[in-house]
Amino acid sequence: KQEVTQIPAALSVPEGENLVLNCSFTDSAIYNLQWFRQDPGKGLTSLLLIQSSQREQTSGRLNASLDKSSGRSTLYIAASQPGDSATYLCAVSPRDDKIIFGKGTRLHILP
Amino acid sequence: GAVVSQHPSWVICKSGTSVKIECRSLDFQATTMFWYRQFPKQSLMLMATSNEGSKATYEQGVEKDKFLINHASLTLSTLTVTSAHPEDSSFYICSARKENLLSADTQYFGPGTRLTVL
């Protein structure tokens, strides 16, 4: 059974710092991996999607990497801003129609 | 773009009543939609897969007679929580799968519905 773990569960960093969020999954047979952002009481915003054949994806200040063999992914946020405060969810798809989510990392950027 | 809406955004009901939540894909057709439930500080858990014109597929442990799903059109799926109880209070999120001819299909998520059962 696929399980997704995110560490840390919560993180507070001063504005301007670079930071890394970690995600691990137990079954390396995945179709893709996604990182989402969720603001309190809101839905999900997809940030980056990495196909199983890819190693990383970049969008603006965000960079996500994927090491499928070791079951790990990281989300790197450069030059953090208070507006980055949210919960970040890692999710894997064992096939193209199913998504399994981690519990998320609650990020708080201190002004 | 690809936009998915949910209605209502929040609902409060008395124990024993039924509540219907709508999920709409506004600018694309979705033969497949998904319903998730999220408890506080927990991950989203897939409840069921809704297929247009056919019966929904429920995940293990989800009562199909309690959570009725109807996907009568290519842009609308509904989730009805029947005889709701306080333990059903949760954040319900739907997603709709947009099929892409030249790339992998993508799921787009709705904004969620907060259900509180008194």
Side-chain angles (χ1 to χ4, degrees):
Chain A
K1 178 183 175 184
Q2 178 73 273
E3 293 184 0
V4 181
T5 303
Q6 292 187 244
I7 296 175
L11 180 64
S12 293
V13 299
E15 179 179 2
E17 285 198 4
N18 304 325
L19 58 100
V20 175
L21 307 181
N22 296 292
C23 172
S24 62
F25 46 96
T26 55
D27 189 343
S28 62
I30 63 170
Y31 188 76
N32 60 46
L33 181 145
Q34 294 188 77
W35 284 92
F36 293 87
R37 170 183 173 140
Q38 185 177 30
D39 292 288
K42 303 294 184 181
L44 305 182
T45 300
S46 179
L47 299 174
L48 290 165
L49 183 150
I50 310 176
Q51 300 291 351
S52 62
S53 59
Q54 298 174 325
R55 298 282 296 186
E56 66 176 343
Q57 283 286 338
T58 298
S59 176
R61 294 182 293 108
L62 306 179
N63 176 275
S65 68
L66 172 63
D67 184 343
K68 203 172 71 164
S69 61
S70 67
R72 296 181 186 276
S73 175
T74 61
L75 178 66
Y76 175 83
I77 302 177
S80 58
Q81 303 171 358
D84 295 331
S85 298
T87 295
Y88 290 80
L89 297 170
C90 172
V92 299
S93 295
R95 58 177 194 265
D96 66 352
D97 63 349
K98 202 176 182 81
I99 298 180
I100 299 170
F101 288 86
K103 291 185 178 181
T105 294
R106 295 187 306 281
L107 177 63
H108 182 48
I109 305 300
L110 305 169
Chain B
V3 181
V4 176
S5 69
Q6 281 185 239
H7 179 80
S9 56
W10 60 270
V11 57
I12 301 173
C13 69
K14 293 183 179 180
S15 184
T17 61
S18 295
V19 175
K20 180 185 286 188
I21 303 170
E22 294 184 348
C23 177
R24 293 181 185 272
S25 55
L26 298 184
D27 51 1
F28 67 98
Q29 294 183 330
T31 56
T32 305
M33 293 185 175
F34 304 88
W35 287 96
Y36 296 84
R37 180 169 51 184
Q38 184 181 34
F39 292 107
K41 297 184 180 180
Q42 298 296 314
S43 59
L44 278 77
M45 298 299 294
L46 179 64
M47 299 175 65
T49 301
S50 171
N51 302 296
E52 189 268 336
S54 64
K55 292 182 178 181
T57 303
Y58 290 82
E59 295 299 303
Q60 190 174 9
V62 178
E63 300 175 59
K64 62 181 181 180
D65 294 330
K66 181 170 181 62
F67 298 99
L68 301 179
I69 292 173
N70 184 281
H71 193 157
S73 79
L74 289 172
T75 59
L76 173 65
S77 175
T78 61
L79 169 68
T80 301
V81 183
T82 62
S83 187
H85 291 284
E87 57 265 30
D88 298 323
S89 298
S90 187
F91 193 56
Y92 292 86
I93 301 179
C94 73
S95 69
R97 185 169 71 182
K98 181 178 182 182
E99 297 175 357
N100 298 310
L101 293 178
L102 301 178
S103 61
D105 295 348
T106 304
Q107 283 191 38
Y108 293 91
F109 286 81
T113 297
R114 172 74 59 191
L115 170 63
T116 301
V117 185
L118 303 176

